[in-house]
Amino acid sequence: MRKLLLCSISLLSLNLFSQEHFSGINISKRSGLLNASVNPAELTNMSRKFDINVFNMSVNVSNNKVTFSDLVGGEDLEKKIFTGSEPTSMRLDVLIQGPSFAMQYKKWAFAISSAANIKANAIDVDVNFGNAVTNSFFGNAQINSGYNQRMNGASWGEINLTAARTIFESDMHKFSGGLTLKMLFPGSYMNMGVDKLTGRVYYDPVSEDVYLTDATANVNFSYSGSLAGNYEDTSNYSKLFAGGLNGIGTDIGFNYQLKEKVEESTDAGSRTYDEYKLNVGASIRNMGSMTFKDDNNESINYRLNIPTTNPLNMEEFDQAKSVKEIEAILMSKGYLTKQTSNGDFKVKFPAVINLYADYKIYNKWYVSAYTQQKLTDDSGNDFTTIQNVLTLTPRFAGKNYELYLPLSSNEVSGFTTGFGFRLGGFFLGSGSIITAALDNSKQADIYMGFRFGI
């Protein structure tokens, strides 16, 4: 368990932190496959007949305790991450969008796309419990957490089919709808949940060990695929399509544009073409689940009971490298009573609603507002995770270029400011590079990609 927490802390050394993928470019004026990942209805707004995505990648990590200045200043992260009284959360989220293709046909637009997802999270870890597990605790403290503390990791692949249609269009208005069907390929999964933990931790000055005693909790151990093994081996998170087709998800969305005519000078004179004055969209995403099936599958719920007569020495977990080993240690001590168990198990996606509006202020100046809000509680043991996000982005955009400055707030790491650009089909950006440079950000992120239209 100690190594599992420290593994999560070590992710902070990547110097890459956040949670909204492609912040600032995800509702770009250049609509296409990237925009359709937020709202499938956007596919009808492609400026070219064909859109081809070569490769996009976004790497995000966020936390609510350690700032960028702590990293560069050489702070002891083990001590810093479990300071204060607020539970500690750390989240890694990687999205890779692979080869994808979209086309328009009359009022219709269609796409086939591929994606890979990697998530690793520490969610709402009690600071006293975290310090006890990492052997940096001194003194005596009571734990009474009324929530589910989780260590969670998952990887999976997707092949997505999207269809969108222009429902109504006139000289001034355009209204479209779209649907994405996601075929899900579970890779690997790991979850350790400690729900409603009560107990006492204390430091023994004689043995110099930390103990947990008089403790009760509801505990879940789930694992499948390569994450049933060593969670320190990063290659175990890369098994993305290993489980075959074992899940379905859907996104549905609608889009409205208030159009305007724009005159453009060319070598042959001038031409007039349609642009939008206002682009508004709404979508519901991540409706669905996937089933993990593997020879080493296990999902077991236990009742944890650690009596005062037999306290748990937290040093027992120092050499544990997998959830299986943590489970075995607690079983061997007689602390666990099995409640329910399953072989194959289903993991749900936390459904979210996306709302956004992009307004053309004047000439090539735009400003957009975007929000991502969870519709379900993702603290359950059978959920992957997502965050609430609000982003405001001023942007200077031409036909073949964009410069933008996203200002965001998310529920784990708070406020961030970044910068990005698009040149033709290539884009590079970050949702938090400016606040990271100012040393007070609890996140930083980077993304890049290349696509082209025909």
Side-chain angles (χ1 to χ4, degrees):
M1 190 185 300
R2 177 176 185 267
K3 289 193 175 183
L4 182 56
L5 279 173
L6 293 182
C7 180
S8 298
I9 295 170
S10 69
L11 295 172
L12 302 175
S13 64
L14 293 171
N15 294 348
L16 305 164
F17 299 73
S18 183
Q19 185 67 23
E20 178 194 351
H21 289 297
F22 308 112
S23 178
I25 194 71
N26 52 3
I27 49 175
S28 165
K29 174 186 173 183
R30 185 214 180 277
S31 187
L33 284 159
L34 185 62
N35 305 58
S37 65
V38 173
N39 182 354
E42 282 282 354
L43 214 57
T44 63
N45 297 328
M46 292 192 303
S47 58
R48 302 288 183 90
K49 185 173 182 179
F50 302 103
D51 192 34
I52 299 170
N53 183 73
V54 179
F55 180 80
N56 300 334
M57 182 178 70
S58 174
V59 181
N60 303 331
V61 183
S62 60
N63 83 101
N64 63 343
K65 295 294 179 73
V66 177
T67 66
F68 192 80
S69 60
D70 294 328
L71 289 171
V72 298
E75 293 281 343
D76 187 340
L77 298 186
E78 286 188 46
K79 294 180 179 179
K80 184 73 177 181
I81 199 67
F82 295 116
T83 56
S85 58
E86 180 186 4
T88 295
S89 292
M90 298 174 285
R91 305 196 182 193
L92 165 71
D93 197 340
V94 179
L95 174 61
I96 301 170
Q97 295 176 336
S100 306
F101 174 80
M103 65 171 290
Q104 287 184 324
Y105 178 73
K106 296 182 178 179
K107 292 185 177 183
W108 287 90
F110 303 96
I112 180 170
S113 57
S114 60
N117 300 267
I118 300 171
K119 292 178 181 283
N121 308 284
I123 306 165
D124 292 335
V125 179
D126 180 273
V127 292
N128 289 320
F129 183 59
N131 280 321
V133 171
T134 57
N135 290 340
S136 57
F137 179 85
F138 296 95
N140 192 315
Q142 194 71 28
I143 298 175
N144 189 13
S145 59
Y147 47 83
N148 190 19
Q149 306 178 54
R150 297 174 66 200
M151 305 298 297
N152 177 272
S155 65
W156 71 93
E158 301 177 10
I159 295 179
N160 304 325
L161 303 175
T162 301
R165 178 181 167 82
T166 300
I167 300 171
F168 171 81
E169 186 171 15
S170 67
D171 289 342
M172 291 294 295
H173 308 282
K174 181 180 180 182
F175 182 70
S176 306
L179 176 71
T180 295
L181 177 66
K182 299 181 176 183
M183 295 179 287
L184 307 174
F185 297 79
S188 55
Y189 184 78
M190 175 273 293
N191 185 79
M192 182 175 64
V194 183
D195 188 25
K196 295 179 176 61
L197 174 65
T198 63
R200 183 171 62 90
V201 290
Y202 67 91
Y203 172 75
D204 186 339
V206 177
S207 64
E208 298 185 341
D209 291 329
V210 179
Y211 292 87
L212 174 64
T213 187
D214 193 22
T216 61
N218 297 313
V219 177
N220 172 264
F221 292 107
S222 299
Y223 39 83
S224 177
S226 57
L227 284 180
N230 189 339
Y231 41 62
E232 294 181 326
D233 186 350
T234 55
S235 66
N236 286 340
Y237 292 85
S238 64
K239 309 297 191 296
L240 299 169
F241 289 82
L245 177 57
N246 272 302
I248 295 293
T250 55
D251 298 346
I252 185 171
F254 297 93
N255 174 257
Y256 166 77
Q257 286 191 347
L258 175 63
K259 299 194 294 184
E260 68 172 358
K261 298 290 185 180
V262 176
E263 187 172 307
E264 179 184 52
S265 298
T266 66
D267 293 338
S270 63
R271 70 183 183 94
T272 301
Y273 61 95
D274 285 337
E275 275 210 353
Y276 63 79
K277 181 69 175 178
L278 175 67
N279 185 48
V280 178
S283 64
I284 299 177
R285 301 173 47 238
N286 297 339
M287 296 179 290
S289 62
M290 55 187 170
T291 301
F292 284 85
K293 298 181 178 181
D294 197 90
D295 292 340
N296 59 8
N297 259 36
E298 201 71 75
S299 179
I300 307 178
N301 293 312
Y302 293 101
R303 182 62 179 171
L304 174 73
N305 183 26
I306 302 175
T308 54
T309 55
N310 184 24
L312 169 63
N313 187 340
M314 304 304 282
E315 194 174 337
E316 297 272 357
F317 299 120
D318 278 3
Q319 302 305 313
K321 295 182 179 180
S322 71
V323 176
K324 277 186 176 181
E325 292 181 15
I326 294 171
E327 181 183 22
I329 291 169
L330 294 173
M331 287 290 290
S332 67
K333 300 292 182 180
Y335 296 141
L336 297 178
T337 303
K338 184 184 292 188
Q339 306 292 310
T340 60
S341 64
N342 295 291
D344 298 342
F345 56 88
K346 187 175 292 187
V347 175
K348 303 172 188 175
F349 290 119
V352 296
I353 184 169
N354 289 124
L355 301 172
Y356 60 87
D358 190 27
Y359 179 70
K360 184 177 181 180
I361 302 171
Y362 174 74
N363 198 5
K364 296 180 180 180
W365 291 96
Y366 296 75
V367 63
S368 64
Y370 167 90
T371 185
Q372 170 182 287
Q373 297 294 314
K374 293 183 289 191
L375 297 177
T376 54
D377 180 8
D378 64 359
S379 64
N381 291 311
D382 59 349
F383 273 92
T384 54
T385 60
I386 203 163
Q387 293 186 49
N388 293 328
V389 177
L390 180 63
T391 301
L392 183 71
T393 306
R395 187 168 71 254
F396 184 76
K399 182 178 179 180
N400 296 311
Y401 61 88
E402 288 183 60
L403 299 171
Y404 49 91
L405 187 78
L407 300 94
S408 300
S409 177
N410 77 60
E411 65 177 305
V412 171
S413 53
F415 177 77
T416 60
T417 302
F419 175 77
F421 71 90
R422 174 179 68 87
L423 185 61
F426 174 77
F427 61 90
L428 174 66
S430 166
S432 54
I433 190 171
I434 294 177
T435 43
L438 296 174
D439 288 346
N440 62 351
S441 176
K442 294 185 177 70
Q443 67 178 49
D445 67 286
I446 190 169
Y447 59 80
M448 64 178 296
F450 179 71
R451 63 258 172 86
F452 62 92
I454 300 176

